[in-house]
Every structure is written in structure tokens, then in C-alpha cells.
Amino acid sequence: MTPGEGAREGTRDHSRAVGKLQALVRIPTVSHRDWSLVDTDAFDRLLVELERQFPLLHERLELTRIPTHALLLRWPGRSSERPVVLMAHLDVVPVEGTWQHPPFSGDVVDGSIWGRGTLDDKGCVAAICEAVETLLEDGFVPAQDVWLSFGCNEEVSGEAATLAVEELARRDVRPWFVLDEGGAVASEAFPGVAAPVGVVGVTEKGVTSLELRVEGRGGHASTPARMGPTARIARAITRIDRSPMPASTPEPTIELFRRMAPHAPLPLRALMANAGRLGPVLTRALVAAGPEPAAMTRTTFAVTTLSGSPALNVVAATAKAGVNIRIMVGDTVAGVLEHVRKVVADDQVHIDVVEQNEPSPVSPRDEAFGLVETTIAELFPDAVPAPYVMMAATDSRFFTRICDRVYRFAPFRMTKAQRESIHSYDEHLGVDAFLDGVRWYRRLIERLPA
Ligand SMILES: [Zn+2]
């Protein structure tokens, strides 16, 4: 922060920014796969509230509404050569579990703003908008065009993000980089590493789902035949479970370990620092360390849905199993299908692809990544910036079609408990963490090179 900027910052009313996030959290914009179940009135109200809270942004930026309730905004910069896209989403997941504070209250308690969406992802929406609003108040013009893309159905893999990409492609916009949710300034990120790690997702696993199905004769449960549909489906499941795909440690993960090494406990330091050379050793250690670290090294298969006969005394005529697969960078949908067919080794098991997504290409760590990284270092001097492979999916995966550099990072300090509250209960964001996030987006925009 330059001295002048600090002085301006000092006079600004921070409670104003917090009030804006509270107002957004209080509107329950819960999305559903079936859009007819959605309270569209809530989404309408959210868009009205956004306009009320960020008047300059709505006056000065060119707004395109993307069906049904997504926004694409263009802030013209001094140049359109290297436009950037800042992303976030307006929808939230339904409320789960018992909360200490009502999930749509936006209450500020013990220095935190509580509620569904504070971390995922209205915190980012409010921080991006407040950064832009305050820069507009200061008369700032960005060096490059800054686009804001706010989706309305990220949590249900809706098509708003795809439509936003189509709109950008239609207008011939080739972003220099795209920044979406994903990583964070994560404390307790790795056992023994005391420093928070500012993890920036440079790729994400591909989500693919299969349905396995076996048809048979059915009939009365008093005269069952051997190897009926349920037995065959069960055998297929155990075969998939017993035969994981090969594990390896991808390059961004090796770099993550390298960067954490100086902050790690002494016995682990050498292994982490030499992760590149000791790849196979590291991979074995991760696989052995439990399901979460193991998921960092390979494509995973989870059998999620199962169905057979609807009655206790009826043999199933059809048995089905749903398999949710997270494809590791380096593997492909075709390769995964081949693996499943090979290990199931039963041509009576029909395999249907329900959804398919390849893993996202790995974004380079060049000047744009450097900008994100140095802005992390500036605002979070105690944190270690590092790339990583995201396990979850974000809307930004659709932007890889028009942009080589897609980074996934929310500039908020999050504890382990906070990260676990996402999609669960007691989601809350520290007031100071939120304000640091606003400053982070401001600095990122201010630092865009000519
Ligand atoms: Zn999200």
C-alpha cells in the first residue's frame, strides 16, 4: 500500500462495507438443480440490493444480464489489450445442521459476520464490488478492462457461467487472466506448518458421473438365481473399489510442498524441499496418509447412489449404481472409462456416462500468477503463496475455453474450521478478514500493468 493510498484507506468507513455483505447474506438465494424450485424472487431482490449498495459500480460499468440472474459487467480501462475477469457467484447451498447464529441473519458476533454464503461466495461478491466502488469514488481508472462475472447457479452446475463465456467470446474478449473462488489464505493447511498458506488453484479435477446398470429377469425372492442383477452390480462395485487408478504427484502439488518446506517440521523438510526428485516417495506417503491426501494423487471413484428391488420379497429386475468420479489432471474421461470397463470385466454391466468433464488445463505461473502472488505477499505478509490442484469444481472451469490463465483464490483468511463450514453449518467470515479481502482486490486492480 502506498502512503497516499493508506491515508485514503484510513478515512474510509469500514462498517459500511460490512453492512453491504450483511445485506447480501440476508437474502436467501439458494439454488436448486430444478430451477422451478428456486425462490427467484430472492434472486430478483439480490440484484436490486446490489444496485442499491454499489450505485457507482452500476452507473459506470456496462452491465449485461446473463440468464437468469447472472451479471457480466465491464469496467473500461485505459487499455483493452489484457482484460481480466474477476468472478464470484450469487447463489448459495441450502442450510444444513444446527447453527450457532441464524444462517440468513448476517449477524456480526465475536468479530465475524455469520451466515450462509459469507465464505462461499457472497464474501467475494461484496469484496470485489466494494473494491471497485471505492476505486470509482477515488476517480481511479484501471490500466486494463476489468470484467466482473457473477454467476447465479454455480452450486448446481448451472449454465450461467457457460453463457457468460459465450458472451465474452462473442465480443472477442480473450482474458489475460481469470480469478475465481477456490483457494484462500488457509491456516492449519498442513500438519506442522504454522504459517498460513495462500493457495491459488491452478487447475481443478474433472467431475464425471457414470451409471452402472444390470438387467435381469426379476421374479419371486423364494427362488433366486445365482449372479442376479444385485450380485453383479455388487461385484462391479467391489472391483472398482479394489482397483484404484495409478497415483502420482502433479507438478503444482510438488511446487506447493516445495514452498511449504521451510515452514514444515524438521523431519519433513528435506522430503518436501526435494519433492520433485522424491516424487514417488511423496506419492506413497500421501496415499498412505488417508483419503484426503490420497485424493491429491489420483482420480477417485465414489459409488454414491444404489438401487435394486423396491420390495423385500421381489428379486430386482434392474440394479443400478451411480459412480461419482473426480478425474486427476493427466487422466482423461476416455481413459477413466477404459479403466472402469477393464476392472469391472463384465459385459452384462452397462455403463452410461451421466456427466463428463475433463480436468482443467494447468494454468501457467507467469506474469499474471506473479501479480496474484505478490499481491498476496503484500496484504498477507505472514502467508506462503503457493499453487495447488483444486479437488472441488468452480464456474471458472468454463473459462478455460477462452483463457489460458485461470486462478482460483478468495483473498480471505480461513481457519480449518471455517473451511469445513463451507456447505456445512456455522459458516462465518472474520470482519477483519473481509476488509483485508476488499483491500486485496483493490490492490490487485491497482497493480494491473499497462
Ligand atoms: Zn462457491
Side-chain angles (χ1 to χ4, degrees):
M1 210 180 281
T2 62
E5 138 84 28
R8 281 205 309 272
E9 268 290 306
T11 57
R12 193 157 270 132
D13 177 9
H14 294 313
S15 63
R16 185 187 87 164
V18 174
K20 293 178 183 193
L21 174 56
Q22 289 179 294
L24 302 188
V25 169
R26 286 179 184 138
I27 304 172
T29 45
V30 178
S31 53
H32 290 276
R33 265 174 207 273
D34 180 353
W35 204 248
S36 71
L37 299 174
V38 168
D39 175 7
T40 52
D41 183 55
F43 282 86
D44 288 335
R45 281 186 283 130
L46 189 79
L47 295 186
V48 171
E49 190 63 41
L50 271 177
E51 192 167 351
R52 212 166 66 89
Q53 299 290 354
F54 305 101
L56 267 184
L57 182 152
H58 281 78
E59 189 189 308
R60 307 274 181 80
L61 274 58
E62 300 166 21
L63 186 150
T64 308
R65 174 90 170 250
I66 304 289
T68 58
H69 291 80
L71 300 177
L72 185 63
L73 297 127
R74 174 176 172 256
W75 185 8
R78 288 195 297 276
S79 163
S80 302
E81 287 276 296
R82 294 201 283 181
V84 304
V85 182
L86 305 181
M87 294 178 65
H89 60 88
L90 306 171
D91 60 319
V92 296
V93 294
V95 168
E96 295 263 346
T98 312
W99 291 57
Q100 292 181 50
H101 305 284
F104 296 111
S105 66
D107 285 349
V108 174
V109 187
D110 298 333
S112 286
I113 309 147
W114 289 71
R116 178 58 91 216
T118 47
L119 300 175
D120 182 14
D121 190 26
K122 287 177 177 170
C124 284
V125 174
I128 292 171
C129 289
E130 183 65 358
V132 172
E133 187 79 8
T134 55
L135 284 168
L136 286 168
E137 285 168 0
D138 296 343
F140 180 82
V141 180
Q144 302 290 338
D145 281 4
V146 176
W147 292 79
L148 312 182
S149 180
F150 299 146
C152 60
N153 44 27
E154 192 275 343
E155 298 293 2
V156 293
S157 302
E159 62 173 357
T162 314
L163 297 175
V165 169
E166 276 168 19
E167 175 66 18
L168 288 169
R170 200 182 59 75
R171 297 170 68 160
D172 232 6
V173 177
R174 299 276 149 191
W176 180 39
F177 73 86
V178 169
L179 181 79
D180 195 7
E181 61 173 339
V185 183
S187 50
E188 309 148 86
F190 190 83
V193 175
V197 187
V199 280
V200 181
V202 291
T203 175
E204 57 190 70
K205 283 181 144 182
V207 183
T208 292
S209 297
L210 306 179
E211 188 179 74
L212 311 185
R213 195 180 73 252
V214 181
E215 316 267 4
R217 284 182 46 111
H220 200 279
S222 60
T223 55
R226 282 202 62 231
M227 278 316 271
T230 47
R232 258 180 210 283
I233 244 358
R235 188 174 70 174
I237 292 168
T238 53
R239 283 177 173 173
I240 291 171
D241 198 52
R242 269 206 302 262
S243 311
M245 287 187 74
S248 66
T249 307
E251 191 279 332
T253 310
I254 288 172
E255 183 63 16
L256 168 70
F257 279 106
R258 247 193 234 128
R259 293 191 185 200
M260 288 194 303
H263 309 271
L266 211 48
L268 287 176
R269 227 173 264 178
L271 170 66
M272 288 167 74
N274 296 299
R277 272 194 301 115
L278 301 174
V281 181
L282 179 65
T283 302
R284 278 197 298 277
L286 288 171
V287 169
E292 273 181 62
M296 295 171 74
T297 65
R298 63 186 170 209
T299 295
T300 57
F301 298 82
V303 176
T304 47
T305 59
L306 264 182
S307 67
S309 161
L312 270 174
N313 60 352
V314 173
V315 170
T318 308
K320 292 186 210 168
V323 191
N324 190 258
I325 305 168
R326 305 299 170 109
I327 304 182
M328 191 58 172
V329 57
D331 289 341
T332 60
V333 173
V336 163
L337 268 173
E338 199 185 300
H339 170 85
V340 171
R341 285 205 183 94
K342 202 178 99 205
V343 304
V344 167
D346 183 346
D347 52 20
Q348 290 195 45
V349 177
H350 303 279
I351 300 171
D352 287 323
V353 180
V354 181
E355 57 171 341
Q356 51 177 319
N357 289 288
E358 301 287 354
S360 300
V362 179
S363 299
R365 296 199 298 276
D366 55 11
E367 191 191 349
F369 184 84
L371 179 69
V372 172
E373 198 176 21
T374 49
T375 311
I376 293 174
E378 183 184 323
L379 271 294
F380 307 100
D382 56 328
V384 186
Y388 85 118
V389 177
M390 268 195 74
M391 301 291 127
T394 69
D395 263 351
S396 69
R397 68 185 183 277
F398 301 111
F399 283 71
T400 56
R401 221 188 89 197
I402 55 165
C403 180
D404 293 333
R405 298 172 194 83
V406 175
Y407 304 114
R408 301 142 179 102
F409 174 72
F412 300 130
R413 288 183 189 273
M414 292 186 203
T415 62
K416 193 160 188 275
Q418 281 176 301
R419 296 196 297 280
E420 285 167 358
S421 74
I422 294 171
H423 291 212
S424 177
Y425 56 89
D426 281 346
E427 192 176 341
H428 63 282
L429 171 60
V431 168
D432 290 339
F434 171 62
L435 296 173
D436 279 342
V438 176
R439 290 184 195 106
W440 190 86
Y441 282 117
R442 265 184 72 102
R443 288 299 290 144
L444 184 78
I445 295 168
E446 284 176 332
R447 296 173 62 147
L448 291 175

